[in-house]
Amino acid sequence: MFRAKLPPWLVLLLPAFIIILAVVAIPLILSLYSSFTPYHLTRPDTLWKWTGSFNYIKAASDANFWKAFGRTVLLLTIALNTEMLLGLGLALMVSKVTRGQRALRTAMMFPMMFSPILVGFQFKFIFNDNVGLVNNALQSLGLTDVAIPWLVDGNLAMFAIIFAEVWTSTSVFAILILAGLFAIPQDPLEAAKVDGCTPWQSFRFVTLPFLMPFIYIAMAIRSLDVARAYDIVQVMTNGGPARRTELLWTLIGRTGYVDARMGYANAMGYIAILMSIGFTIYFFLKLQTARRELGMGEM
């Protein structure tokens, strides 16, 4: 009797393929299918009612969806640029340290080691109206007589969320930019000194162009993180007050698990994924451009 024999490499990889199929592929296919149905968690029979692109059209005309999208882009823009500037400054300072640099590099990584949920609870306490450290410090210094409603006022609540995001992820930029600083060849810097360039001109026209590929890599990584921000916002404000800090993924979570409209939530989720891919492609193209300008060729 003929018996098919699997190649050894496939036998070794088969458990991994089975796990990926069970944990990733099947849920992904099911969620994609349910996005074309009116699936409601309390009515399982709705999973088998095909409605086509109705959920996607509904999301495209939903004002709450586009408001959440605008807040997500605002958070992404402010957080990425602030983290880049702070990370650049931190990396430049650490690169000048001659003793204890390894300890500093390790300390820089501490904020990114904390769970986003833990960071959310930490800053929820720091910005608390009554017992928060920020209000207590401001009142002790005499800068204000009343408690500032950091997490109740919509604009201040968004500032608090951005502050928490920047605190926890600036080290991503700092570590990658520091790696770029160590990789810069010394010949162009020495040539700039010989030509009489000032420190600022050397940084602007020599150092910074070499660092741009590392900055775009960090931005690509962080754009994906910020675009799917959920934990910190959910813990600190739960999207409030009055949805003033509602982001894409907090809106999707509320729609799917609170309102139980899972089909509609999955449709919004796939739209958000496509937008995240768009940001990634943008930063990847900028990375390729920066590499070509340095004569590094294609990736």
Side-chain angles (χ1 to χ4, degrees), residues 54-165:
F54 175 80
N55 287 329
Y56 291 90
I57 296 173
K58 183 179 179 181
S61 59
D62 188 346
N64 288 328
F65 175 81
W66 289 110
K67 288 178 181 178
F69 171 74
R71 294 187 199 99
T72 305
V73 173
L74 175 66
L75 174 65
L76 189 147
T77 303
I78 297 176
L80 282 187
N81 285 283
T82 305
E83 290 170 15
M84 187 270 289
L85 292 174
L86 293 177
L88 177 61
L90 192 59
L92 289 171
M93 288 189 292
V94 172
S95 67
K96 302 297 182 182
V97 175
T98 56
R99 298 183 62 182
Q101 191 179 101
R102 290 184 179 180
L104 285 175
R105 292 202 302 264
T106 303
M108 280 196 310
M109 298 178 66
F110 282 164
M112 60 186 292
M113 294 179 184
F114 288 99
S115 164
I117 294 178
L118 181 60
V119 173
F121 279 113
Q122 171 184 319
F123 280 94
K124 186 176 183 179
F125 169 72
I126 290 174
F127 287 104
N128 185 273
D129 297 353
N130 300 316
V131 297
L133 296 178
V134 174
N135 275 340
N136 283 336
L138 292 176
Q139 289 174 351
S140 298
L141 294 172
L143 298 178
T144 179
D145 296 327
V146 296
I148 299 175
W150 293 101
L151 300 179
V152 177
D153 181 272
N155 295 326
L156 295 177
M158 182 58 74
F159 167 80
I161 290 170
I162 292 173
F163 190 93
E165 282 282 348

Side-chain angles (χ1 to χ4, degrees), residues 25 86 117 135 140 160 170 182 193 217 221 232 283 297-298:
L86 293 177
I117 294 178
N135 275 340
S140 298
T170 296
F182 290 151
K193 289 181 180 179
I217 290 172
I221 295 171
I232 291 178
F283 287 122
E298 299 291 339

Side-chain angles (χ1 to χ4, degrees), residues 27-276:
L28 196 64
I29 294 171
L30 181 60
S31 66
L32 179 61
Y33 165 78
S34 67
S35 69
F36 294 98
T37 70
Y39 181 40
H40 200 282
L41 289 179
T42 60
R43 298 195 300 273
D45 58 298
T46 56
L47 182 61
W48 313 113
K49 295 180 181 179
W50 183 265
T51 58
S53 59
F54 175 80
N55 287 329
Y56 291 90
I57 296 173
K58 183 179 179 181
S61 59
D62 188 346
N64 288 328
F65 175 81
W66 289 110
K67 288 178 181 178
F69 171 74
R71 294 187 199 99
T72 305
V73 173
L74 175 66
L75 174 65
L76 189 147
T77 303
I78 297 176
L80 282 187
N81 285 283
T82 305
E83 290 170 15
M84 187 270 289
L85 292 174
L86 293 177
L88 177 61
L90 192 59
L92 289 171
M93 288 189 292
V94 172
S95 67
K96 302 297 182 182
V97 175
T98 56
R99 298 183 62 182
Q101 191 179 101
R102 290 184 179 180
L104 285 175
R105 292 202 302 264
T106 303
M108 280 196 310
M109 298 178 66
F110 282 164
M112 60 186 292
M113 294 179 184
F114 288 99
S115 164
I117 294 178
L118 181 60
V119 173
F121 279 113
Q122 171 184 319
F123 280 94
K124 186 176 183 179
F125 169 72
I126 290 174
F127 287 104
N128 185 273
D129 297 353
N130 300 316
V131 297
L133 296 178
V134 174
N135 275 340
N136 283 336
L138 292 176
Q139 289 174 351
S140 298
L141 294 172
L143 298 178
T144 179
D145 296 327
V146 296
I148 299 175
W150 293 101
L151 300 179
V152 177
D153 181 272
N155 295 326
L156 295 177
M158 182 58 74
F159 167 80
I161 290 170
I162 292 173
F163 190 93
E165 282 282 348
V166 170
W167 179 86
T168 192
S169 299
T170 296
S171 53
V172 175
F173 280 87
I175 294 296
L176 287 173
I177 292 173
L178 188 60
L181 287 171
F182 290 151
I184 294 177
Q186 294 301 309
D187 292 344
L189 292 173
E190 292 174 359
K193 289 181 180 179
V194 171
D195 291 340
C197 293
T198 64
W200 165 249
Q201 290 173 329
S202 296
F203 172 77
R204 172 65 182 84
F205 298 105
V206 180
T207 303
L208 189 59
F210 274 100
L211 292 179
M212 290 312 297
F214 296 89
I215 291 174
Y216 286 128
I217 290 172
M219 283 191 167
I221 295 171
R222 282 294 296 144
S223 66
L224 291 176
D225 289 337
V226 177
R228 56 186 175 84
Y230 177 82
D231 312 69
I232 291 178
V233 181
Q234 185 68 18
V235 170
M236 290 182 67
T237 63
N238 193 24
R243 295 193 172 187
R244 295 286 297 277
T245 59
E246 188 96 274
L247 303 182
L248 274 179
W249 286 101
T250 57
L251 174 64
I252 292 167
R254 187 188 306 277
T255 302
Y257 297 107
V258 178
D259 300 340
R261 295 182 293 164
M262 188 56 70
Y264 183 43
N266 284 333
M268 290 194 293
Y270 276 98
I271 295 175
I273 289 171
L274 291 176
M275 293 176 179
S276 299

